Amino acid sequence: MSSLTHSKAWSALKTHFQYIQNESMREIFRKDPDRFKKFSLRLDDIIFDYSKNRIHEETIALLVDLAESQGLRQKIEAMFTGKIINITEHRAVLHTALRNRSNTPVYVDGKDVMPDINRVLAQMRAFCAAVRAGDWKGYSGRAITDIVSIGIGGSGLGPKMVSAALSPYGSDRLKVHYVSNVDQTNLVEVLKPLSAETTLFVIASKVFNTQETMMNARSARNWLTERSGSEAAIPKHFVAISTHAENVARFGIDTENMFEFWDWVGGRYSLWSAVGLSTALSIGMDHFEELLQGAYEADLHFRHTPFDRNIPVIMALLGVWYNNFFGADSHAVIPYDQSMRYFADYLQQGDMESNGKSVDLDGNRVDYSTGPIIWGQPGTNGQHAFFQLIHQGTKLIPCDFMAAANSHYPLPEHHDILISNFLAQPEALMNGLTEEEVKARLSPEEREDRVLVASKVFDGNKPSNAFLYKKMTPRTLGSLIAFYEHKIFTQGVIWHINSFDQMGVELGKVLAKAILPELKNDRIITSHDSSTNGLINAYKQYKER
Ligand code: F6P
C-alpha cells in the first residue's frame, strides 16, 4: 500500500465517505439555507459556487488535511520560486513567471528570468503593432490580412482556445487560423481562401522538430514560394516561436524573426509565453497583457489564500473526493459560453497529459486512481447530446458549469435563455425528480404505467460546480485558465506524481517513425504483429499511386 492510501488523512476521508455516500444533497440544502454562502468563493467578479457537492464543512477540512499532509504548501512555493519540480526532465516549472506582473525577480539556477520575459513581451508588442497597423508588408508590398498559426498540443490548443474565447476583442483587419493536424485536410482547407501575398505564418513549436508541425510548416513554405516565385518571400511571411534557435535556423527561418521561450515553460502551460503571439496579433498586446494580469491575480490567490478558501485548491480537492472515494472516472467541463467552445479540448491536454500517470515521484506504481478523463462541450448543445447519461446513466460524472452574465453581442433574449439553462441543469442534477413528483405530473392512466414512471425518475444527487462572471474579458479568462492549471498542479501533488512530463506520448511517435518508410516501399510487411502488418499491407494495396 502506498503512503498516500496508508495515511491518516486518507483513512479519515474513507471513514467520512461511509457516512456521506448515501446523504442526499436535496436534504442537505433543505436543512441549511446558508449553503450557498458557506460554499461559494469569489475572485474579483468571478463567483465559484461549489455548494452543489456531496460535502459538509468537515469534508473540506479533511480534504485540506490530505493536501497539507502531501506537502501542498511547500510544493506551491517550490513551483513559484523555480525549484526543479519536474524531476524526470530536471526542469523548473515557471509558467507563473510569464505572468508575474509584479516583475519581482524569479530565479532559475541563480538567474533572474524576468528580464528575458520582458524582452520577449516587448518584441511581441512591437511586432503586433507593426502587423496590426499594416506596416509589416508581405513580399508584394501588401499588408497582412491573415495569420496562420501552425502548432500542435500546447503550441496550438491554448492560443486557439484563447483566440476563440476573446474573439469579440479580435481585429477586424486580421483573421487568425489554426492548423495542427498533419492530415493535409487541415492545412489545405485553411489555405484555400487565402492569398500568399497577405498571409503570415506563425510556426509554434517548443522543440521545433515535432513531426506534424514541421510537415505543415514545410508545406506552407512550399505554398508561399510557389506563389511568390522565390524563397526571398520567407522572412516577410514566416516567424517562429521556439526554445530551439538552431532548429529554427535549420528550417530556414531567420532567428531575427524568432520569439523565444524557455524549457522551464511546459508545452501545455505555454499560452502565456510567445506561443500566445497569434492571440496577441488578433486581440492586441494590451488585451494579451490583461490576460496575463488575470492569471497573475489567480496566482496570487492560489499562493496566498488559505486552502479552505482557495478556489483552485477546492476544485482539486473536490476532484480527488469524487475520483478517489466515489470512483468517478471522468469530469465534464460545460461552458454555457460559445466563445469557450475549445475550453474542454484545451483542458484535455492540460489535465490528461499532466496527471495521466501511474507511477509516483518515487518510481512506484500507484495503488489509487489518478487523473480523470476530461471532456465536454458548450451548453446548451451538450444538453441535446450527452446530458441524458449524466442525468440518468449509471456513472457519476461531476461537472463544471460556467457562464458570463453578459454577452458581448446584442441579442438579449438569447442570453436569458442560455442562462436559464445554465442554472437549471445543475439544479436538476442535484435535486432529481422523485417517483411521487413524477406521478404528480402524469395523468391517472399514465401513473399506472410502471415503466413510464420508473423511466421518468431522476436520482439526482449529481455534483457540480458553477462559475459565474460578469463578462468574458481577457482578465476573467486569464484567471479561469490559471485556476484550472493550479487545480491540476494541486491534484498532482496529492497523487504524488510528476504533472510536468509526458513520457506516455513518446512510444507512439517512435513506432510511427519506424512505420513511415515501410509505407513507401512495395514489399509485404511482416515485421509487426499480425494486426499491424495486416493494416499496413491493406493500406498499401488501397493507396492510389
Ligand atoms: O506530444 C506531446 C507534446 O510534446 C506536447 O507536450 C506538446 O505540447 C506538443 O507535443 C507539441 O510540442 P512542440 O511544441 O515541441 O512542437
Side-chain angles (χ1 to χ4, degrees):
M1 255 222 244
S2 66
S3 55
L4 174 63
T5 52
H6 225 49
S7 67
K8 255 175 74 186
W10 191 273
S11 304
L13 280 160
K14 264 174 89 174
T15 310
H16 182 68
F17 171 71
Q18 298 305 326
Y19 131 85
I20 229 167
Q21 63 177 327
N22 296 319
E23 266 198 343
S24 138
M25 277 196 276
R26 188 198 264 228
E27 269 306 292
I28 306 178
F29 264 96
R30 204 181 48 77
K31 286 188 197 144
D32 182 0
D34 281 340
R35 198 166 161 85
F36 174 73
K37 215 167 28 183
K38 269 187 206 154
F39 296 111
S40 60
L41 297 166
R42 249 172 202 272
L43 179 68
D44 193 33
D45 66 45
I46 304 176
I47 298 172
F48 173 60
D49 171 24
Y50 62 105
S51 57
K52 294 192 193 77
N53 278 292
R54 293 166 71 171
I55 54 165
H56 289 292
E57 279 154 317
E58 189 191 348
T59 322
I60 297 296
L62 292 172
L63 286 164
V64 166
D65 285 348
L66 181 70
E68 299 271 17
S69 70
Q70 290 298 100
L72 180 61
R73 210 168 283 286
Q74 300 84 314
K75 296 253 168 108
I76 291 175
E77 276 318 291
M79 175 170 73
F80 276 92
T81 55
K83 301 286 178 308
I84 307 296
I85 60 170
N86 176 357
I87 55 168
T88 52
E89 297 178 316
H90 310 288
R91 287 177 183 164
V93 174
L94 272 179
H95 44 282
T96 50
L98 299 168
R99 59 223 192 189
N100 169 22
R101 306 308 288 165
S102 72
N103 218 5
T104 47
V106 178
Y107 295 98
V108 175
D109 289 336
K111 182 185 173 217
D112 179 12
V113 296
M114 291 314 297
D116 278 342
I117 291 171
N118 292 330
R119 171 178 53 78
V120 175
L121 282 172
Q123 184 192 4
M124 288 170 70
R125 179 170 281 281
F127 183 69
C128 286
V131 175
R132 285 167 63 83
D135 296 339
W136 180 283
K137 308 276 194 230
Y139 66 87
S140 66
R142 290 176 61 194
I144 299 299
T145 57
D146 291 88
I147 308 292
V148 177
S149 176
I150 296 179
I152 197 162
S155 298
L157 288 164
K160 179 178 172 182
M161 178 273 289
V162 174
S163 297
L166 300 179
S167 57
Y169 298 85
S171 154
D172 292 335
R173 270 205 53 253
L174 267 186
K175 275 188 89 175
V176 186
H177 315 264
Y178 287 90
V179 174
S180 54
N181 201 334
V182 75
D183 182 340
Q184 59 193 290
T185 308
N186 198 172
L187 183 68
V188 171
E189 289 185 350
V190 164
L191 294 184
K192 221 184 263 176
L194 304 188
S195 158
E197 291 176 71
T198 56
T199 298
L200 175 74
F201 292 95
V202 174
I203 315 296
S205 174
K206 185 170 170 182
V207 292
F208 228 77
N209 67 4
T210 302
Q211 189 186 39
E212 298 92 328
T213 300
M214 291 301 103
M215 185 70 247
N216 277 322
R218 279 196 300 275
S219 294
R221 189 174 57 188
N222 293 342
W223 179 85
L224 173 77
T225 51
E226 274 162 23
R227 281 158 184 76
S228 68
S230 145
E231 301 237 319
I234 292 174
K236 285 281 149 212
H237 292 269
F238 273 79
V239 298
I241 298 159
S242 186
T243 57
H244 211 295
E246 295 96 90
N247 285 352
V248 169
R250 196 167 309 128
F251 176 82
I253 297 179
D254 192 333
T255 48
E256 282 284 295
N257 286 342
M258 171 179 158
F259 296 80
E260 188 189 7
F261 68 113
W262 306 273
D263 67 7
W264 40 261
V265 183
R268 53 192 173 275
Y269 299 93
S270 64
L271 68 88
W272 321 99
S273 72
V275 168
L277 182 66
S278 55
T279 305
L281 282 163
S282 169
I283 65 175
M285 205 55 198
D286 287 347
H287 287 135
F288 187 75
E289 288 189 354
E290 280 174 33
L291 178 84
L292 301 183
Q293 176 67 28
Y296 172 62
E297 284 161 14
D299 291 346
L300 292 177
H301 170 88
F302 178 55
R303 195 171 176 184
H304 301 297
T305 309
F307 292 159
D308 61 355
R309 311 294 300 156
N310 189 313
I311 294 173
V313 171
I314 297 286
M315 290 165 73
L317 296 178
L318 292 168
V320 169
W321 184 225
Y322 296 118
N323 188 66
N324 296 98
F325 295 90
F326 285 79
D329 283 329
S330 82
H331 188 101
V333 180
I334 306 161
Y336 277 67
D337 189 333
Q338 180 65 12
S339 76
M340 293 284 270
R341 61 192 171 279
Y342 300 124
F343 195 55
D345 295 6
Y346 160 78
L347 279 181
Q348 281 185 329
Q349 188 200 12
D351 202 319
M352 293 162 81
E353 198 168 81
S354 296
N355 287 341
K357 309 287 163 66
S358 48
V359 163
D360 72 13
L361 285 166
D362 305 311
N364 301 318
R365 285 197 78 77
V366 297
D367 61 358
Y368 43 85
S369 175
T370 59
I373 300 157
I374 302 292
W375 61 286
Q377 60 161 283
T380 60
N381 297 4
Q383 288 175 210
H384 300 274
F386 52 78
F387 269 54
Q388 168 64 34
L389 186 145
I390 304 182
H391 281 291
Q392 286 189 312
T394 53
K395 295 177 172 57
L396 180 72
I397 303 175
C399 302
D400 288 353
F401 292 88
M402 57 196 70
N406 300 284
S407 172
H408 283 276
Y409 298 115
L411 304 175
E413 276 182 80
H414 286 246
H415 205 68
D416 284 347
I417 294 174
L418 178 75
I419 297 302
S420 66
N421 281 280
F422 157 75
L423 296 169
Q425 289 297 331
E427 187 181 26
L429 286 169
M430 188 264 283
N431 273 328
L433 203 62
T434 64
E435 192 174 322
E436 295 69 53
E437 288 165 339
V438 169
K439 285 184 173 163
R441 294 167 183 222
L442 294 177
S443 67
E445 306 82 71
E446 286 173 327
R447 256 174 246 155
E448 298 309 312
D449 185 338
R450 203 177 59 81
V451 179
L452 181 69
V453 172
S455 304
K456 283 182 172 283
V457 168
F458 284 55
D459 291 338
N461 227 12
K462 308 278 196 300
S464 65
N465 298 317
F467 284 103
L468 178 67
Y469 36 89
K470 276 196 185 146
K471 208 168 189 167
M472 176 46 74
T473 63
R475 188 163 159 213
T476 296
L477 182 64
S479 296
L480 277 176
I481 300 170
F483 285 159
Y484 278 91
E485 287 179 343
H486 294 321
K487 168 202 170 174
I488 293 163
F489 171 82
T490 299
Q491 292 190 333
V493 169
I494 291 175
W495 292 323
H496 193 51
I497 54 179
N498 182 359
S499 300
F500 299 106
D501 63 10
Q502 55 283 322
M503 308 295 181
V505 297
E506 294 309 322
L507 180 60
K509 289 186 193 170
V510 172
L511 296 188
K513 285 207 172 118
I515 289 173
L516 186 59
E518 296 178 333
L519 301 182
K520 294 187 192 290
N521 65 42
D522 290 332
R523 288 194 291 279
I524 300 287
I525 300 302
T526 56
S527 51
H528 304 267
D529 58 86
S530 65
S531 162
T532 310
N533 287 336
L535 291 168
I536 293 176
N537 292 322
Y539 169 76
K540 289 166 78 158
Q541 223 174 36
Y542 281 179
K543 191 171 159 86
E544 294 161 8
R545 296 188 190 269

